[in-house]
């Protein structure tokens, strides 16, 4: 009983403090990093709309594996299983979750109109802990990154620092 309560407390505190969680939905080969908020005993995520994070494998009534990293060291802290619950737009639960998510959303293109766009085009999903924490795995867990349109920045041209310093000296 005590170990269950300690596990629940660890899941809640670690997930609250972490900016990202790694989630592997049903049938997905690898976990994805998702931003979230902890609200009323569950991690709430938003996505699957234009300009929002993808939520593959997170289907209503399904399960997911959530891994939380340590905020200070960045290493795996705890992994737990979750039940996936999709919130209906306009419901009291949806309104409460969106109010929390709205405050944490960075660089939103539409500001105050964001909740309306989310209601029309996105999904709000609650990842409710089932109470089971997973054992920490052993060995190397390196996996290929999931495909993304993002690119890596090119190296700075060798002559650029000299050009920048020259302009400063002339002023």
């Amino acid at each position: 009983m005590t170990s269950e309560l300690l596990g629940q407390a660890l899941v809640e505190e670690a997930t609250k403090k972490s900016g990202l969680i790694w989630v592997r939905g049903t049938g997905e080969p690898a976990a994805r990093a998702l931003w979230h908020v902890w609200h009323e005993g569950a991690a709430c995520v938003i996505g699957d709309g234009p300009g929002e994070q993808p939520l593959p494998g997170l289907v209503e009534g399904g399960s997911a594996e959530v891994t939380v990293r340590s905020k200070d060291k960045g290493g795996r802290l705890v992994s737990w299983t979750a039940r996936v619950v999709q919130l209906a737009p306009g419901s009291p639960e949806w309104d409460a979750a969106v109010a929390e998510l709205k405050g944490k959303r960075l660089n939103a293109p539409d500001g105050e109109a964001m909740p309306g766009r989310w209601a029309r085009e996105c999904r709000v999903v609650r990842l409710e802990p089932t109470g089971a924490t997973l054992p920490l795995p052993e060995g190397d867990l390196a996996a290929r990154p999931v495909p993304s349109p993002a690119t890596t920045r090119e190296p700075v041209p060798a002559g650029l620092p000299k050009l920048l310093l020259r302009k400063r000296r002339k002023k």
Side-chain angles (χ1 to χ4, degrees):
M1 180 68 169
T2 304
S3 64
E4 287 178 21
L5 292 175
L6 288 174
Q8 290 173 357
L10 176 62
V11 164
E12 183 172 344
E13 284 303 309
T15 308
K16 273 183 188 177
K17 291 181 180 182
S18 181
L20 288 176
I21 54 177
W22 293 86
V23 180
R24 185 168 60 94
T26 305
E28 289 299 309
R32 281 188 179 265
L34 301 175
W35 69 273
H36 72 288
V37 295
W38 184 265
H39 179 66
E40 295 180 358
C44 296
V45 295
I46 187 150
D48 283 350
E52 301 297 339
Q53 60 194 355
L55 303 176
L58 297 182
V59 294
E60 172 69 30
S63 65
E65 181 181 308
V66 180
T67 302
V68 182
R69 64 189 180 104
S70 168
K71 188 170 183 174
D72 58 346
K73 302 288 184 189
R76 179 186 305 251
L77 189 58
V78 66
S79 293
W80 48 279
T81 56
R83 186 181 62 199
V84 178
V85 177
Q86 186 169 325
L87 302 178
S91 68
E93 297 85 12
W94 187 89
D95 291 337
V98 164
E100 293 291 322
L101 287 162
K102 181 181 173 191
K104 297 289 184 182
R105 174 65 163 93
L106 300 177
N107 304 322
D110 47 1
E112 293 301 315
M114 193 169 27
R117 178 175 57 86
W118 285 350
R120 288 186 312 273
E121 303 172 355
C122 298
R123 294 188 311 138
V124 176
V125 175
R126 279 178 57 90
L127 300 172
E128 299 175 347
T130 61
T133 56
L134 303 171
L136 293 177
E138 295 180 17
D140 184 17
L141 298 175
R144 293 190 52 79
V146 292
S148 168
T151 60
T152 304
R153 226 174 63 154
E154 297 292 324
V156 175
L160 185 61
K162 291 178 184 176
L163 289 172
L164 294 175
L165 288 174
R166 192 178 324 157
K167 287 182 181 179
R168 286 185 185 166
R169 288 182 193 150
K170 288 180 181 179
K171 290 182 179 182

